[in-house]
Amino acid sequence: MSAASVWKTSLQGVIAALAVVAATTPAAAEPVAIVDARILSVGKAGDIPRGVVVFDRGRIVAVGANVPVPAGARVIDGRGRTVTPGFIASETGLGLTEINSVTQTDDTRSSSADLSAAFDVARGLNPASAAIPVARLGGVAHAVATPRYDDRNLNRQRPFAGQAAFISLDGGVDHIQPHIAMTLDLGESGAARMGGARGAEFDLLDAQFDEVKLYAENRAAYNRGALRRLTLSASDLEALVPVVRGEQLVLVNVSRASDIRQALIFAKARGLKIALTGAEEAWMVADDIAEAGVPVILNPTSNLPLSYETLGATVRNAALLHKAGVRIAFVGNDATHRVRELRYNAGIAVANGLPYQAALAAITLNPAQVLGLDGRLGSLDVGKQADIVLWSGDPLEPLSQAEVMFIGGVEQDLGTSRPMQLRDKYLTHQRQR
């Protein structure tokens, strides 16, 4: 058995073990009903000015204006408050980075010359990261932990950063879904890493994808050394097979309008399943993106020409894409420590023309749909996982606070994040003076 096969078998065993643990993870021991709240379901129930959400054993069992409260249920008074699904943050470093300036605490990058597409961030995730409770304060229940590039090795010409993982911010290892997406840079940064020019990168990608196809069709010959020499390592070849087959989502980071067009053409020609990220000039080619049915993950606050490929950046990007029929999802203001600002970005998008419901969907249902997880996450619908946040007011208003939060029906402690602990420490110190 090849090293790649051994690794794959081992990983499958780990995933199976995690699934068993997840199945036995305790949810609330009794039904819970949030009553008399404004409910923004982002689902079939729509918006309910004064309604009830009931969940039991980690699943939503009822949502509506006139829902009876089950006998023996824990009742939470939602009067004057708002209920939303837990938010989903795309493209983060949660669980992978602690201190940006301390490289030993950064597990987002591989510096190996032989490892790019196969780099799996799920194996380095730390569910006890201090950044995770901070993100929960912003209503974030789930996140995509995404690899980044290591550009210190100038001889490392590899186009892919690695494999992203989907994580629950419940502080445990029970709900980690590895290989949720592959990551790829195009545009300026991609060209700098692969061939030195945009056209060269696409030519080299074509050659590598042809290699992967050859490998997939001739594994036995490859394993016995009877296949011609391939430029990619065995682990990268294996990791790219589902990409080439159009089975795995590829997060394509690209900014310039012309680069976006080329990405769409390349994806169509190769039969790839992609989502655009960054996409500062996407509004210029919104109709092309909509026609291709490709979603866009963006920061709606990006409005400065920080490089030649973002000269067209505008805060109206999200609104214009939505108007054209593009599914959009949002990111926070950095990969790790400001993920909680995801809702602020949604609010800024509303202030710049995006309908309120579209902004809320961009941090709940839309990212779930992009990742293929909308059957169980992203909205307050019967049968879905009970990821629920009770807010003191409008969730897109910065002064509102998450007062109660459930992930998978389990209540989360919102008082033990590092910022809250420091607040309490120094408030106590002040009182003692």
Side-chain angles (χ1 to χ4, degrees), residues 34 36-40 49 76-84 87 136-139 343-344 356 388-405 414:
I34 303 177
D36 292 332
R38 178 192 180 202
I39 299 173
L40 303 178
I76 299 175
D77 186 1
R79 210 173 325 169
R81 301 170 185 170
T82 302
V83 174
T84 68
F87 299 154
R136 283 202 303 260
L137 294 177
R343 66 189 182 102
Y344 302 167
Y356 185 97
I388 298 172
V389 186
L390 180 64
W391 299 90
S392 61
D394 188 322
L396 304 190
E397 162 58 51
L399 293 180
S400 298
Q401 300 295 317
E403 296 186 340
V404 183
M405 183 179 193
L414 298 178

Side-chain angles (χ1 to χ4, degrees), residues 46-314:
D47 293 354
I48 305 169
R50 188 174 178 183
V52 178
V53 178
V54 180
F55 57 96
D56 190 13
R57 301 181 186 275
R59 297 285 171 181
I60 298 170
V61 296
V63 183
N66 299 297
V67 173
V69 176
R74 173 190 171 191
V75 177
I76 299 175
D77 186 1
R79 210 173 325 169
R81 301 170 185 170
T82 302
V83 174
T84 68
F87 299 154
I88 300 174
S90 306
E91 285 206 305
T92 79
L94 291 174
L96 298 172
T97 304
E98 292 299 323
I99 303 171
N100 292 336
S101 59
V102 180
T103 57
Q104 294 86 347
T105 71
D106 184 354
D107 283 302
T108 62
R109 297 169 171 84
S110 166
S111 60
S112 170
D114 296 320
L115 187 68
S116 61
F119 173 51
D120 181 7
V121 297
R123 307 180 97 179
L125 284 166
N126 174 22
S129 168
I132 288 177
V134 179
R136 283 202 303 260
L137 294 177
V140 180
H142 301 279
V144 180
T146 313
R148 296 286 186 265
Y149 288 87
D150 187 341
D151 290 328
R152 292 170 296 183
N153 184 352
L154 299 180
N155 295 320
R156 184 179 185 269
Q157 291 204 28
R158 294 290 181 264
F160 297 93
Q163 310 231 19
F166 187 74
I167 62 174
S168 170
L169 303 194
D170 58 4
V173 297
D174 307 340
H175 308 105
I176 297 173
Q177 184 172 339
H179 309 167
I180 195 71
M182 185 69 70
T183 52
L184 169 67
D185 263 14
L186 296 178
E188 286 182 6
S189 57
R193 298 187 190 98
M194 194 76 172
R198 287 171 166 85
E201 181 180 19
F202 280 111
D203 289 340
L204 291 169
L205 279 173
D206 270 324
Q208 289 192 354
F209 278 24
D210 287 341
E211 282 193 355
V212 174
K213 185 178 180 182
L214 178 66
Y215 164 81
E217 294 171 350
N218 299 275
R219 277 190 177 93
Y222 179 88
N223 290 335
R224 65 175 182 268
L227 199 63
R228 71 172 175 83
R229 184 179 178 183
L230 304 179
T231 59
L232 293 174
S233 65
S235 56
D236 278 356
L237 287 167
E238 188 66 37
L240 285 169
V241 170
V243 170
V244 170
R245 290 176 174 169
E247 298 167 353
Q248 185 181 31
L249 177 68
V250 183
L251 300 176
V252 179
N253 186 56
V254 62
S255 298
R256 198 171 72 180
S258 60
D259 293 336
I260 292 172
R261 283 199 187 96
Q262 289 301 319
L264 296 177
I265 293 169
F266 182 78
K268 182 178 181 180
R270 283 287 177 176
L272 305 182
K273 178 183 177 183
I274 70 168
L276 303 176
T277 69
E280 286 85 353
E281 291 190 354
W283 64 275
M284 296 179 174
V285 287
D287 290 339
D288 294 332
I289 299 170
E291 183 179 354
V294 170
V296 175
I297 300 170
L298 70 150
N299 185 331
T301 69
S302 297
N303 69 333
L304 295 176
L306 300 178
S307 66
Y308 281 106
E309 62 180 356
T310 60
L311 293 176
T314 171

